[in-house]
Amino acid sequence: MTPKESKKKEKADREFQKKFKFEGSINVLTQMMVDPAVVEKRGGGKDLPVRRGEILDVIQFTNEEQLLCRNSQRR
């Protein structure tokens, strides 16, 4: 990883922590794939736009119906 890529990732992580008021280090608990048969959904506010078959990093299990995730662009 180049220093430029490293800085981009660090900046994305800081923005993530600020937006979601997430304290501490970001640890990926698991990865999951969006169902290939799902209807694609636009994001809005704090909802992540999802695409069919996309791989997401699960950061935190917030409740039974929602997860705190990020996509490959670290959003």
Side-chain angles (χ1 to χ4, degrees):
M1 184 179 327
T2 66
K4 189 174 184 178
E5 290 173 339
S6 179
K7 282 188 178 186
K8 274 187 170 182
K9 288 185 178 186
E10 287 176 15
K11 182 179 179 184
D13 287 347
R14 282 193 307 272
E15 290 175 1
F16 175 88
Q17 288 174 322
K18 184 178 178 181
K19 183 174 184 175
F20 293 100
K21 298 176 185 166
F22 191 84
E23 295 180 5
S25 62
I26 297 172
N27 297 320
V28 176
L29 301 175
T30 187
Q31 290 186 327
M32 61 181 270
M33 183 173 75
V34 176
D35 185 0
V38 76
V39 176
E40 292 187 12
K41 183 176 105 171
R42 289 178 136 190
K46 293 187 178 179
D47 291 335
L48 180 67
V50 295
R51 292 179 284 157
R52 297 178 182 141
E54 183 177 27
I55 303 294
L56 303 174
D57 294 334
V58 177
I59 306 298
Q60 184 180 34
F61 295 96
T62 55
N63 62 36
E64 292 180 10
E65 296 179 7
Q66 294 182 338
L67 303 169
L68 183 60
C69 298
R70 70 178 175 197
N71 60 13
S72 58
Q73 289 88 34
R74 301 180 84 81
R75 293 185 180 162

